Structures are given as structure tokens and as C-alpha cells.
Amino acid sequence: AQSVTQLDSQVPVFEEAPVELRCNYSSSVSVYLFWYVQYPNQGLQLLLKYLSGSTLVKSINGFEAEFNKSQTSFHLRKPSVHISDTAEYFCAVSDRGDDKIIFGKGTRLHILP
Amino acid sequence: DTGVSQDPRHKITKRGQNVTFRCDPISEHNRLYWYRQTLGQGPEFLTYFQNEAQLEKSRLLSDRFSAERPKGSFSTLEIQRTEQGDSAMYLCASSLPVSTDTQYFGPGTRLTVL
């Protein structure tokens, strides 16, 4: 069965520093990959997704993630974080042809002033 | 349309009581999903509907759980004889009937079983 591993439960980073949130999934079959974000006291919302085509996908607020099939990874990066990026980030995967999404445990991003 | 809504936002109940939650999806979305999220975990899939048909149920969904979507619009999730282990955030999401379409999540219903 498909599973998602987010090794870091919390990541502290100084404001304006770069950040990488790691995500690995278990199966190498054809997949769709997602990053969802949950800001404090808000619901889950999609940050970006990989369906096909270019392995580098970007969000409107400066995050990007790269699909690496050989390493079964989909790490999330941002070159310079802001205090407004404080949130919990969930990596998720869906097997092609399957409609449910499997989520990781989440990584809490703490932005230090 | 303002998005997926869920009611109530919070529910406190005593062990053994029955509870029912409601989810109203985005109006043009055929698919509706239920997830459960416990502290320190990501959301776990429970079940989903396409219109009124329940297409898949997780093994997590014990016999005490039942979900319905009678007219293909809103959905209810009922938990009978609640247990303390049922305490969690229950999330609803909706999407168009395409597997690549984004699932839009509601704010959730937080259940506390005393």
C-alpha cells in the first residue's frame, strides 16, 4: 500500500533563509503528488501538485517542489521564507487511477525572527 | 460559492452517544470525501462518494461509522456508540469527478469524546 514519509515533524528556520521540507513516498508506480498547507486556524489548502510533464512545479507564493522518480521523493523548497509561511505542510500522494489521497504526518514550519 | 462547509465545527459528547456531522460541498462538485485527522497525524481517508454512490470505504471505517449522500449534494457522517478513540478532526473535501482535480477541504468538525 502507498505511504508517505515526512521525516521532519518540525523545521525551524530564520526569516529570509531558505528551507527544504522533505517528502518520500513508498511506491514507484505512476503517481500524482501534492503539497497541502494548513495555516493556523484554517483548513487544508492545496499549495502545488505534480500530475505529469515537467518535474518541477511551482506555487504562486514562491514554493517549488521537484518530482524525483528514481528517489521516490517530492521535496518542497523555498529560497527565502517569510513569517507568513508559518504553517503545517502535508505531502500527499495518489496512485493514478485511485481517487483517494494518502497524506504524510505533516511538517510544522517555524519561522524565527 | 464560499467553499466546503461543515457543521458543527466542534462537538463534545459522552462515550456511547451517537453523533452526526454534515458536509456541504462546493455546489458543482460531484465527488465528496471524508477524512479523519488525529493529533500529530495527517488526514486519513475514510470514504468517498460520486454523486449519491459510495464508491470506496476504508478499513478504518468500522461498522459504527456510516456515511450517506442521499441526493448527491450534502453528506452526513454518523458515528454510533462513540468511543474515546473516535476523538479527532473529521474533514470533508469535494472535487470534480476527475482524479486529477484538486480536492477542496472544509474547516473540519472537531469531535471530543469524554
Side-chain angles (χ1 to χ4, degrees), chain A residues 35 46-50 54-67 74-77 79:
Chain A
W35 277 97
L46 182 70
L47 185 62
L48 48 76
K49 63 182 177 182
Y50 167 79
S54 173
T55 57
L56 183 67
V57 290
K58 299 184 179 184
S59 73
I60 58 172
N61 58 351
F63 283 92
E64 63 180 36
E66 186 155 21
F67 168 52
F74 192 55
H75 302 327
L76 181 70
R77 301 183 182 94

Side-chain angles (χ1 to χ4, degrees), chain A residues 63-74:
Chain A
F63 283 92
E64 63 180 36
E66 186 155 21
F67 168 52
N68 188 319
K69 186 175 182 179
S70 62
Q71 296 187 3
T72 60
S73 68
F74 192 55

Side-chain angles (χ1 to χ4, degrees), chain A:
Chain A
Q2 187 65 265
S3 66
V4 177
T5 301
Q6 292 182 251
L7 288 172
D8 304 305
S9 59
Q10 296 189 60
V11 172
V13 61
F14 287 103
E15 197 169 13
E16 298 184 8
V19 69
E20 177 180 84
L21 306 184
R22 296 178 293 168
C23 172
N24 288 88
Y25 60 96
S26 60
S27 173
S28 61
V29 298
S30 295
V31 294
Y32 301 133
L33 293 158
F34 311 86
W35 277 97
Y36 277 82
V37 59
Q38 188 167 29
Y39 297 104
N41 301 314
Q42 295 188 29
L44 274 168
Q45 51 188 281
L46 182 70
L47 185 62
L48 48 76
K49 63 182 177 182
Y50 167 79
L51 302 179
S52 64
S54 173
T55 57
L56 183 67
V57 290
K58 299 184 179 184
S59 73
I60 58 172
N61 58 351
F63 283 92
E64 63 180 36
E66 186 155 21
F67 168 52
N68 188 319
K69 186 175 182 179
S70 62
Q71 296 187 3
T72 60
S73 68
F74 192 55
H75 302 327
L76 181 70
R77 301 183 182 94
K78 189 171 185 180
S80 176
V81 296
H82 302 284
I83 195 75
S84 59
D85 294 323
T86 298
E88 187 150 24
Y89 293 80
F90 293 93
C91 181
V93 62
S94 175
D95 288 338
R96 294 193 184 196
D98 192 352
D99 297 305
K100 64 180 179 290
I101 296 177
I102 307 300
F103 286 85
K105 293 185 177 182
T107 298
R108 192 169 296 277
L109 180 61
H110 291 284
I111 309 299
L112 306 171

Side-chain angles (χ1 to χ4, degrees), chain B residues 23-109:
Chain B
C23 171
D24 287 88
I26 293 171
S27 58
E28 63 268 27
H29 285 181
N30 308 78
R31 288 194 176 168
L32 186 148
Y33 304 78
W34 285 100
Y35 292 83
R36 180 174 67 189
Q37 185 176 17
T38 53
L39 202 60
Q41 302 293 319
E44 297 172 297
F45 170 81
L46 294 179
T47 187
Y48 88 100
F49 294 83
Q50 179 152 321
N51 299 314
E52 65 274 12
Q54 189 172 17
L55 297 187
E56 187 173 348
K57 292 170 61 173
S58 164
R59 286 170 292 177
L60 293 175
L61 212 63
S62 77
D63 291 344
R64 297 183 297 105
F65 288 69
S66 63
E68 294 183 345
R69 194 182 184 198
K71 297 182 180 179
S73 57
F74 71 91
S75 175
T76 58
L77 178 68
E78 181 182 15
I79 309 174
Q80 296 183 325
R81 306 181 303 282
T82 52
E83 302 173 356
Q84 287 186 325
D86 297 330
S87 295
M89 178 75 85
Y90 290 85
L91 299 170
C92 176
S94 71
S95 75
L96 293 170
V98 177
S99 58
T100 56
D101 188 60
T102 299
Q103 292 186 22
Y104 293 87
F105 283 79
T109 294

